[in-house]
Amino acid sequence: EAGVAQSPRYKIIEKRQSVAFWCNPISGHATLYWYQQILGQGPKLLIQFQNNGVVDDSQLPKDRFSAERLKGVDSTLKIQPAKLEDSAVYLCASSSRDRGLVQETQYFGPGTRLLVL
Amino acid sequence: ELKVEQNPLFLSMQEGKNYTIYCNYSTTSDRLYWYRQDPGKSLESLFVLLSNGAVKQEGRLMASLDTKARLSTLHITAAVHDLSATYFCAVVNTGNQFYFGTGTSLTVIP
């Protein structure tokens, strides 16, 4: 089974530029998450999709961040314009609730390391 | 917002010793996860704890959950160098949103 794929793996931009990240979840996983992990901290949930609908985006800075999940599969996360404090690793994860069980395991992609200069 | 605190933040221990990492959370939840993250790598799921009193063990790691105390522990038995990593707990709220702890950076010294 292929894992969660993300690209690019690394990105360096200047402040006020735009950047986009792509995520391809595990096949069949309905739920997709984007997290921001700042160096030395735990991941912070930015947005959660269930199929192509948004479940939660309460911690997404909507003035500069946007995300979409067209057709309920791949997803893109965009930052426009970027600020210095956006430097972080952006992690994508997907999950599929086992039928009849509460348990839900998240599978994380390798992440995209963003450096804003 | 659900708050998740781990302690200690940093842990340096000798091989062969035992130690416990603690994870406290602020509101009711009946699902808690433990993850491992190696430097420069992504997160790997270790345990899912679903109910009060749940205990799971894998090798030298054992995790437990006390939902009444809002506390989970990750116990390390006879540590080896391969266990050096950062360990995160994550708690799920009623809206199925994951909240991660601050992480515990573990270094096992030969």
Side-chain angles (χ1 to χ4, degrees):
Chain A
E1 178 182 81
V4 177
Q6 289 187 248
S7 67
R9 294 295 309 278
Y10 305 90
K11 191 74 177 178
I12 301 174
I13 62 172
E14 294 187 347
K15 61 182 179 183
R16 291 187 288 274
Q17 284 188 322
S18 301
V19 65
F21 312 127
W22 173 82
C23 172
N24 180 235
I26 293 173
S27 177
H29 281 194
T31 309
L32 185 147
Y33 309 80
W34 282 103
Y35 290 90
Q36 179 192 60
Q37 186 177 22
I38 293 172
L39 186 64
Q41 298 181 18
K44 182 182 84 171
L45 179 67
L46 293 176
I47 189 166
Q48 178 180 341
F49 291 96
Q50 182 75 17
N51 296 309
N52 60 349
V54 176
V55 173
D56 176 57
D57 62 357
S58 57
Q59 298 191 89
L60 186 74
K62 297 180 185 65
D63 57 334
R64 297 185 301 106
F65 286 65
S66 64
E68 60 182 9
R69 190 183 184 196
L70 299 176
K71 300 180 182 179
V73 182
D74 295 3
S75 178
T76 56
L77 177 69
K78 297 179 181 178
I79 308 175
Q80 180 179 9
K83 293 185 176 181
L84 298 177
E85 58 261 35
D86 297 332
S87 295
V89 176
Y90 291 84
L91 294 166
C92 178
S94 71
S95 68
S96 174
R97 182 163 293 189
D98 294 330
R99 186 174 300 177
L101 299 176
V102 176
Q103 178 172 325
E104 180 175 348
T105 298
Q106 285 188 323
Y107 296 87
F108 282 82
T112 296
R113 293 182 178 276
L114 174 67
L115 178 60
V116 182
L117 302 175
Chain B
E1 180 181 311
L2 197 157
K3 302 288 186 187
V4 184
E5 293 185 350
Q6 287 181 237
N7 70 81
L9 297 182
F10 299 94
L11 176 57
S12 181
M13 55 191 298
Q14 287 188 315
E15 278 191 333
K17 299 292 186 181
N18 304 333
Y19 209 83
T20 301
I21 299 171
Y22 297 89
C23 173
N24 290 90
Y25 52 98
S26 61
T27 61
T28 302
S29 173
D30 58 6
R31 268 195 294 156
L32 188 140
Y33 297 75
W34 283 97
Y35 293 87
R36 169 183 172 142
Q37 186 174 38
D38 291 293
K41 305 288 186 181
S42 194
L43 282 83
E44 173 192 354
S45 179
L46 294 174
F47 300 109
V48 179
L49 301 168
L50 299 176
S51 60
N52 188 42
V55 177
K56 289 196 174 178
Q57 183 165 4
E58 180 74 32
R60 301 174 186 274
L61 300 177
M62 183 174 71
S64 65
L65 178 62
D66 182 343
T67 58
K68 294 178 182 177
R70 296 177 186 167
L71 171 69
S72 180
T73 60
L74 181 66
H75 187 72
I76 303 155
T77 302
V80 293
H81 179 68
D82 286 352
L83 290 180
S84 296
T86 298
Y87 293 85
F88 292 96
C89 64
V91 180
V92 184
N93 69 2
T94 53
N96 203 40
Q97 292 135 6
F98 284 70
Y99 290 86
F100 280 78
T102 47
T104 296
S105 177
L106 171 65
T107 302
V108 180
I109 303 168

